[in-house]
Amino acid sequence: MTQKKTLTKIRNIGIMAHIDAGKTTVTERILYYTGKSHKIGEVHDGEAVMDWMQDEQERGITISSAVTTCQWEQSTIQIIDTPGHVDFTVEVERALRVLDGAIGVFCAVGGVEPQSETVWRQADRYRVPRMAFINKMDRTGADFFGAVASIKEKLGAHPVLLQVPMGAEDQFDGVIDLIDMKQIRWDDESLGATYVVDEIPSEYADLAMEYREKLLESVSEEDDAIMEKYLGEEEITRADLIAAVRKATINHKLVPVLCGSALKNKGIQPLLNAIAHFLPSPLDVPPVRGIHPETGDPLDFPPEKNGPLAALIFKVSMIEGRKLSFARIYSGKIEAGSDVYNPVLKKKEKLSRILLMHANKRERLKEASAGDIVGIVGLKDSGTGDTLCSVDHPVFLEKMKYEDPVISIAIEPKTHADQEKLDMVLEKFTIEDPTLKVSKDEETGQTILSGMGELHLEIIISRMRKEFNTQVNVGNPQVVYREVVTAPATGEAVFDREISGKSHYAKVRIQLKPLDRGTGVLFRNKAPETQIPPQFVSGIEQGIRESLEGGYLKGYPLVDAEIVLLGGAFEEGKSTELGFSVCGSMACKEALESASLALLEPIMQVEVFVPDTYMGDAIADLNSRGGKVESIAPKANIQIIHAVVPLAKMFGYSTALRSATQGRGTFSMKFDRFDRV
């Protein structure tokens, strides 16, 4: 019975929003009022508990999602504070994958901003019940009802007001609680820790009654019991209303809305009460579903401490060089020092320590069970998205999907010492961040780093320098072109030389012909055997192919050509395979000197997602880059533009697109073909 009781009191929630709406400030106040921190950390002073990385403190933004646990009355609240910048949406994605509920924080001035739209859609995809907190009610231009209207219009949500503000901007004085029909005012002296609940002032009585009626109407539409009482004009008790709002929130019918000013310490305690009242416990959401690794049968894991183990690693962090895995336990329990099974790798791993996380501070636990979000030390090979289970109950929980990288830079180490560290540092970053890709360009020898945006890569380089003391030079990656022949050309060469006391003789005549794009390099032998015996043909082909690798115009590989071996001559006893190989290469160079050649450049297939209002700007920008729009498809207030654009013109595109669309445009890009420059 105790397990059921404690599970009903757990709230696994995320705080998500557009950059600068005040997510981290809200989280800091929650930690202060729940007694988790003894001083309020401010983002603008670089002292926020949840923004513990040096880059976060310097830039005043959240880069990495941080996990913390706090107690509020009888509830245990586990919070993940997520980044608001579009380059770090993977952090939001992995948090939403393991959370039961979320709070969308909106600025009372800006309302629904571009990135809050993106994270809201991500939460829709994972079916996460949500509440909204309209923050910054003290700011000039604050408009509570305007912000609520934008939630309805832009997010297609059904907001239900549980509070209305008393005043706005510098007149913001507190809130009216529409469930209890009381006013709540905060005391500035105690940094908002004490507050007064009182009768509603007469000047707000009409406003309060109007929105109380709207609250009852909205709830009665979703709840038959409330509907009967509402129509029969019977009393609807506080408990009735809380239960009905909770049910409608968990079923994605309503989004409860509260307001306040986190920076001025107003509105946080009612928000904590609302988290406990309206957001789901692990028992209120459907049991996690996985599949059996061998049979592929679906398996459900209800949140039971004594059930079979099912846990998902949703994030891996390399802190002080040690690997820390963050896991959500859906079912069963884990104990420090015990073994778990990873069905992806088909191997057992040992859990050396289990940690209760508080941003970058931690507390050791002997065990953790269903409903918990914990840090685990000791997993050597398990990575992000892997499942942990028991050998006798194997299961695959659904892996997370990530966007492909859209932008690349080339990096090279500054010194020999940096060279030795670079591979190790890059390996740590790729373990930590599944959206970061590292590749070696064989043709230029550069290390290419690909990520989700220019800020993403900038922060990786910054962390490389600060955390790992590894210095690198950064440059645009070179675009690798190709060369082609545009008309047939012939070449002839004679090789007659003595090497190491042995004579080598060969004569070769060839023709190069252009082929269709994408065909590759083909070789045909038309030489009579009396001129070139068959045993020398493969040597000639090898010599020519090696010669084409270095091209002629700019040193890029030559492609889409047919090599025809027309004829030549050999001398008994003097001709060798080496001689014919070198001679084939010489004849090829001779042909290239007289040939007409052209350059091919990589053409990318680009898919751009933009809101209707910015479509003209987005198309004009693609045209200015030499792009060709192939199709436009509308989809729920968004236009999807398909275009082909030369890769060389796509550098800096993510920044240009964001500035042209106020951050609301996104794009993906993949290689399509090579085409004439």
Side-chain angles (χ1 to χ4, degrees):
M1 187 59 211
T2 52
Q3 168 66 8
K4 284 268 190 260
K5 187 170 183 302
T6 51
L7 269 175
T8 58
K9 296 295 181 192
I10 291 178
R11 299 288 179 272
N12 289 321
I13 62 158
I15 297 194
M16 53 184 215
H18 186 83
I19 192 164
D20 224 19
K23 292 176 305 304
T24 303
T25 308
V26 169
T27 313
E28 293 300 320
R29 298 309 185 270
I30 287 175
L31 297 182
Y32 181 66
Y33 299 132
T34 56
K36 200 65 189 170
S37 43
H38 302 294
K39 132 182 206 294
I40 292 180
E42 297 295 9
V43 176
H44 51 261
D45 297 333
E47 288 179 358
V49 175
M50 301 300 271
D51 285 351
W52 53 271
M53 280 165 62
Q54 194 179 341
D55 273 300
E56 294 181 313
Q57 292 167 354
E58 287 171 9
R59 296 166 191 264
I61 62 168
T62 304
I63 292 165
S64 169
S65 54
V67 181
T68 194
T69 308
C70 56
Q71 300 290 331
W72 178 251
E73 293 172 354
Q74 285 90 40
S75 298
T76 299
I77 302 174
Q78 302 185 107
I79 303 172
I80 302 184
D81 174 29
T82 63
H85 196 285
V86 65
D87 283 13
F88 308 107
T89 47
V90 62
E91 292 286 346
V92 184
E93 189 84 18
R94 5 187 206 205
L96 287 169
R97 172 70 176 82
V98 297
L99 291 172
D100 300 326
I103 300 169
V105 177
F106 300 92
C107 169
V109 182
V112 173
E113 293 167 285
Q115 188 58 12
S116 40
E117 265 182 78
T118 308
V119 293
W120 198 269
R121 283 197 208 110
Q122 285 173 298
D124 281 339
R125 198 161 64 238
Y126 287 111
R127 304 268 311 145
V128 177
R130 274 146 284 174
M131 288 182 354
F133 181 71
I134 311 284
N135 191 26
K136 304 195 177 186
M137 281 303 304
D138 59 308
R139 263 189 59 189
T140 307
D143 177 1
F144 174 75
F145 297 106
V148 173
S150 74
I151 290 174
K152 198 168 185 172
E153 180 191 326
K154 290 186 178 171
L155 304 177
H158 188 174
V160 55
L161 306 190
L162 303 186
Q163 295 176 345
V164 286
M166 298 197 294
E169 303 181 348
D170 54 356
Q171 302 295 311
F172 176 60
D173 194 27
V175 301
I176 291 167
D177 180 333
L178 298 174
I179 288 181
D180 289 334
M181 288 301 273
K182 298 281 186 192
Q183 67 157 321
I184 306 173
R185 278 199 168 94
W186 280 267
D187 170 31
D188 290 336
E189 296 297 311
S190 67
L191 289 176
T194 59
Y195 54 95
V196 178
V197 178
D198 211 340
E199 296 305 318
I200 297 169
S202 56
E203 66 267 31
Y204 287 108
D206 291 347
L207 181 77
M209 279 313 296
E210 179 192 342
Y211 281 95
R212 164 82 177 185
E213 279 299 306
K214 288 185 176 174
L215 167 63
L216 294 176
E217 276 172 27
S218 296
V219 176
S220 63
E221 280 169 19
E222 304 300 339
D223 190 294
D224 293 342
I226 299 279
M227 172 72 87
E228 277 181 34
K229 287 188 174 182
Y230 181 62
L231 293 176
E233 296 185 2
E234 293 172 47
E235 189 201 347
I236 297 169
T237 65
R238 177 177 190 271
D240 290 340
L241 201 46
I242 286 174
V245 173
R246 176 181 181 78
K247 189 175 151 197
T249 304
I250 291 170
N251 292 335
H252 308 276
K253 303 286 189 195
L254 297 177
V255 175
V257 180
L258 294 91
C259 63
S261 163
L263 192 64
K264 293 285 194 292
N265 312 311
K266 291 175 182 173
I268 301 301
Q269 294 92 339
L271 178 64
L272 283 161
N273 290 332
I275 290 169
H277 287 323
F278 308 118
L279 287 180
S281 77
L283 292 168
D284 295 315
V285 292
V288 69
R289 172 161 282 198
I291 59 164
H292 194 285
E294 266 83 60
T295 63
D297 294 336
L299 301 167
D300 282 350
F301 286 81
E304 290 166 1
K305 181 178 181 176
N306 298 320
L309 176 64
L312 181 79
I313 300 171
F314 66 94
K315 179 181 164 110
V316 172
S317 243
M318 304 300 284
I319 298 176
E320 293 152 13
R322 302 198 61 180
K323 184 173 170 183
L324 175 66
S325 307
F326 291 85
R328 159 77 194 258
I329 306 168
Y330 289 101
S331 165
K333 65 177 180 181
I334 55 173
E335 292 172 1
S338 65
D339 286 344
V340 289
Y341 180 63
N342 181 330
V344 180
L345 305 174
K346 296 190 174 163
K347 65 184 288 187
K348 283 184 176 180
E349 292 247 54
K350 188 173 270 311
L351 310 175
S352 53
R353 280 186 288 161
I354 302 170
L355 304 168
L356 184 66
M357 301 303 298
H358 178 45
N360 65 334
K361 298 184 182 68
R362 51 205 83 124
E363 183 187 319
R364 280 196 185 200
L365 298 173
K366 283 197 176 68
E367 65 167 56
S369 59
D372 290 338
I373 294 176
V374 289
I376 297 173
V377 179
L379 300 177
K380 287 193 174 65
D381 303 311
S382 300
T384 301
D386 284 0
T387 303
L388 301 178
C389 57
S390 57
V391 180
D392 46 353
H393 281 94
V395 62
F396 281 142
L397 297 179
E398 187 193 351
K399 276 208 157 204
M400 288 171 275
K401 296 179 178 66
Y402 305 114
E403 300 289 323
D404 288 329
V406 294
I407 187 164
S408 307
I409 51 171
I411 58 170
E412 55 189 38
K414 281 194 174 170
T415 66
H416 184 64
D418 292 324
Q419 171 69 63
E420 290 174 353
K421 282 194 282 186
L422 185 62
D423 291 342
M424 178 200 77
V425 170
L426 289 175
E427 188 189 357
K428 283 185 173 169
F429 281 137
T430 49
I431 289 170
E432 212 177 88
D433 184 348
T435 58
L436 187 71
K437 299 278 186 280
V438 178
S439 58
K440 276 271 193 298
D441 189 319
E442 298 303 331
E443 289 167 355
T444 63
Q446 292 174 311
T447 297
I448 305 291
L449 213 52
S450 309
M452 301 309 293
E454 283 161 81
L455 180 65
H456 183 199
L457 295 177
E458 194 184 304
I459 283 180
I460 292 289
I461 299 298
S462 169
R463 286 185 61 196
M464 220 178 257
R465 290 171 179 156
K466 287 173 190 163
E467 287 176 39
F468 297 97
N469 201 18
T470 307
Q471 304 301 320
V472 290
N473 295 320
V474 180
N476 274 344
Q478 297 177 12
V479 175
V480 181
Y481 294 88
R482 298 283 185 266
E483 298 181 12
V484 285
V485 287
T486 56
T490 51
E492 187 175 297
V494 176
F495 182 73
D496 188 2
R497 200 171 298 170
E498 196 174 285
I499 302 170
S500 307
K502 187 173 178 359
S503 291
H504 297 270
Y505 173 84
K507 181 179 179 185
V508 173
R509 195 168 80 258
I510 66 160
Q511 185 181 37
L512 286 178
K513 290 180 176 177
L515 289 176
D516 290 341
R517 201 70 66 245
T519 312
V521 177
L522 304 179
F523 179 84
R524 260 194 323 147
N525 177 18
K526 280 190 169 179
E529 285 189 16
T530 51
Q531 292 182 14
I532 298 177
Q535 68 265 32
F536 298 129
V537 173
S538 65
I540 296 170
E541 181 180 355
Q542 188 187 346
I544 295 171
R545 283 185 181 275
E546 283 174 5
S547 183
L548 292 180
E549 275 301 305
Y552 181 77
L553 270 182
K554 303 265 185 183
Y556 296 114
L558 191 131
V559 294
D560 302 337
E562 182 180 41
I563 310 152
V564 184
L565 179 58
L566 299 173
F570 80 107
E571 286 184 16
E572 200 70 58
K574 276 183 76 179
S575 289
T576 60
E577 189 169 350
L578 172 68
F580 272 106
S581 180
V582 176
C583 192
S585 176
M586 289 163 61
C588 181
K589 285 200 166 61
E590 178 77 25
L592 288 172
E593 278 179 16
S594 61
S596 75
L597 296 164
L599 271 184
L600 298 181
E601 64 179 341
I603 304 293
M604 309 304 281
Q605 240 182 27
V606 182
E607 199 175 40
V608 188
F609 300 81
V610 289
D612 301 346
T613 38
Y614 302 109
M615 191 172 74
D617 294 344
I619 290 174
D621 185 49
L622 288 170
N623 290 340
S624 73
R625 293 169 188 275
K628 198 169 121 205
V629 174
E630 295 187 326
S631 70
I632 298 167
K635 184 185 171 187
N637 303 335
I638 292 247
Q639 298 289 341
I640 304 169
I641 304 166
H642 290 272
V644 286
V645 191
L647 175 63
K649 298 286 176 63
M650 288 301 287
F651 292 122
Y653 180 65
S654 57
T655 309
L657 178 66
R658 278 178 205 156
S659 53
T661 61
Q662 292 186 8
R664 293 168 70 180
T666 57
F667 78 105
S668 65
M669 176 168 81
K670 64 180 183 203
F671 174 76
D672 184 41
R673 62 180 191 274
F674 278 96
D675 217 334
R676 287 277 291 269
V677 172

